[in-house]
C-alpha cells in the first residue's frame, strides 16, 4: 500500500472542495448489496467524500423539510457528483481505475437504495460512525454532511472505522415526527435497517407525506439531522478591538 499516494490524493480531494475524506477497505463491506452486483470484489478500496451542509439551512427545519433545504440538498448533491468526477479523473490520469457513484441516484425505489450505500462506505472509511438514525455521524460536523463514493483499485492505505459515540443520547429518536427511530445503539453497524428503524414509517414520511408539501419534490426530511447534538454550530465569539 502507498502512503504517499494516499496522502497526495486526500490533499487533492480537499483542494477540490471536500470537507472530509476517508478510505475504506471494501473487504469490510462484503455482504452489502451493490447494483450491479459484485462491485466490492472488483474494487479493493472505496473513497468516501463529504461536504458539510449549511447550518443556517438545517436550523430552519422543525418537523418538516423546508423549501430552502430542498434546494440546498439538490445543489450539494450536484457539487458532490462534480467532486467525485474530478477525484476519479485524478486517479484515472495516474493509471488507476476509479468508479464515481452518484450522490443521490436511487436504483431501487422500494428499498430507497443506490448503487452502493454511501453511509456504509463512510462508516467503513472512518468518516463517522453509524448513528441511531442510520445516518453517518462525523466528529467534526455530526450528521450535517452529504456523501459520495468512488470505488478504485488504487493501492490506498485504508482508514480505520471510528468508535460509536451515540451512547445514551436519544435526541434523534425524540425528534422524529413519526417515531421511526427505535433508539437502539450499535457498536459498529446494524445488519439490517429494521434493527434501527421502523423503516416503513420513515419511508411513508419521506416518500409520501413530505412529497405532498409545497416545493418539496424529493424524498427528504432533515429533522433527525437538525436534532443531533453532534455538529451543532458553535456561536462565534465577539472579536475584541
Amino acid at each position: 500500500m502507498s502512503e504517499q499516494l494516499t496522502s497526495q490524493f486526500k490533499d487533492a480531494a480537499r483542494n477540490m472542495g471536500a470537507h472530509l475524506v476517508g478510505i475504506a477497505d471494501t473487504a469490510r463491506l462484503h455482504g452489502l448489496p451493490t447494483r450491479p452486483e459484485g462491485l466490492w470484489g472488483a474494487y479493493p478500496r472505496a473513497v468516501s467524500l463529504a461536504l458539510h451542509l449549511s447550518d443556517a439551512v438545517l436550523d430552519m427545519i422543525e418537523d418538516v423539510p423546508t423549501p430552502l433545504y430542498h434546494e440546498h440538498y439538490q445543489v450539494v448533491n450536484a457539487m458532490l457528483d462534480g467532486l467525485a468526477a474530478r477525484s476519479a479523473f485524478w486517479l484515472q490520469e495516474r493509471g488507476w481505475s476509479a468508479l464515481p457513484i452518484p450522490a443521490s441516484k436511487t436504483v431501487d425505489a422500494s428499498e430507497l437504495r443506490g448503487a452502493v450505500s454511501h453511509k456504509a462506505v463512510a462508516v467503513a472509511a472512518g468518516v463517522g460512525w453509524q448513528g441511531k438514525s442510520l445516518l453517518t455521524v462525523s466528529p467534526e460536523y455530526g450528521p450535517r454532511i452529504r456523501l459520495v463514493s468512488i470505488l478504485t483499485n488504487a493501492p490506498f492505505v485504508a482508514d480505520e472505522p471510528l468508535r460509536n459515540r451515540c451512547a445514551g443520547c436519544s435526541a434523534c429518536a425524540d425528534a422524529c415526527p413519526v417515531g421511526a427511530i427505535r433508539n437502539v445503539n450499535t457498536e459498529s453497524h446494524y445488519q439490517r435497517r429494521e434493527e434501527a428503524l421502523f423503516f416503513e414509517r420513515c419511508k411513508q414520511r419521506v416518500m409520501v407525506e413530505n412529497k405532498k408539501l409545497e416545493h418539496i419534490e424529493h424524498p427528504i426530511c432533515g429533522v433527525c439531522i437538525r436534532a443531533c447534538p453532534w455538529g451543532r454550530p458553535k456561536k462565534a465569539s465577539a472579536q475584541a478591538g
Side-chain angles (χ1 to χ4, degrees):
M1 297 296 106
S2 173
E3 292 185 5
Q4 182 179 17
L5 178 65
T6 305
S7 178
Q8 289 174 344
F9 173 79
K10 287 185 174 182
D11 286 344
R14 292 187 189 100
N15 288 335
M16 293 178 207
H19 293 131
L20 299 173
V21 185
I23 308 292
D25 181 345
T26 58
R28 294 183 179 274
L29 299 164
H30 285 190
L32 294 177
T34 66
R35 294 163 180 80
E37 295 181 0
L39 289 180
W40 306 132
Y43 296 96
R45 293 289 182 264
V47 176
S48 179
L49 305 174
L51 290 179
H52 181 200
L53 293 166
S54 165
D55 290 320
V57 169
L58 286 169
D59 288 343
M60 294 180 70
I61 297 172
E62 294 183 3
D63 59 350
V64 294
T66 66
L68 282 176
Y69 177 53
H70 177 266
E71 293 303 314
H72 185 56
Y73 177 91
Q74 293 186 87
V75 167
V76 172
N77 284 338
M79 292 173 65
L80 283 164
D81 287 343
L83 174 61
R86 292 193 298 276
S87 299
F89 289 151
W90 189 96
L91 288 166
Q92 183 173 286
E93 288 165 359
R94 287 157 179 79
W96 305 107
S97 178
L99 179 66
I101 306 295
S104 189
K105 175 63 176 176
T106 299
V107 298
D108 183 340
S110 65
E111 292 293 320
L112 295 182
R113 295 187 189 276
V116 305
S117 169
H118 296 302
K119 294 190 288 292
V121 171
V123 169
V127 167
W129 62 91
Q130 189 167 47
K132 294 178 180 180
S133 62
L134 290 186
L135 295 173
T136 302
V137 183
S138 67
E140 300 88 348
Y141 309 119
R144 296 177 175 225
I145 54 177
R146 292 289 298 161
L147 302 164
V148 74
S149 307
I150 304 165
L151 307 185
T152 182
N153 64 351
F156 289 142
V157 177
D159 294 298
E160 289 295 318
L162 301 181
R163 175 179 57 86
N164 187 298
R165 305 179 195 177
C166 288
C169 179
S170 62
C172 61
D174 296 340
C176 181
V178 294
I181 301 172
R182 295 177 184 267
N183 194 29
V184 175
N185 211 352
T186 178
E187 289 187 8
S188 55
H189 65 278
Y190 304 94
Q191 297 297 323
R192 297 178 299 107
R193 283 171 166 172
E194 283 294 332
E195 293 177 20
L197 300 180
F198 296 101
F199 178 64
E200 288 302 320
R201 295 183 190 178
C202 182
K203 180 180 173 181
Q204 173 73 15
R205 180 72 172 189
V206 301
M207 292 293 291
V208 179
E209 296 175 29
N210 285 355
K211 288 182 73 172
K212 292 178 181 178
L213 299 171
E214 189 174 12
H215 305 303
I216 305 297
E217 302 166 4
H218 289 77
I220 59 173
C221 180
V223 173
C224 59
I225 299 175
R226 175 195 54 77
C228 181
W230 282 93
R232 282 182 182 165
K234 298 177 177 62
K235 295 188 181 297
S237 58
Q239 297 295 317

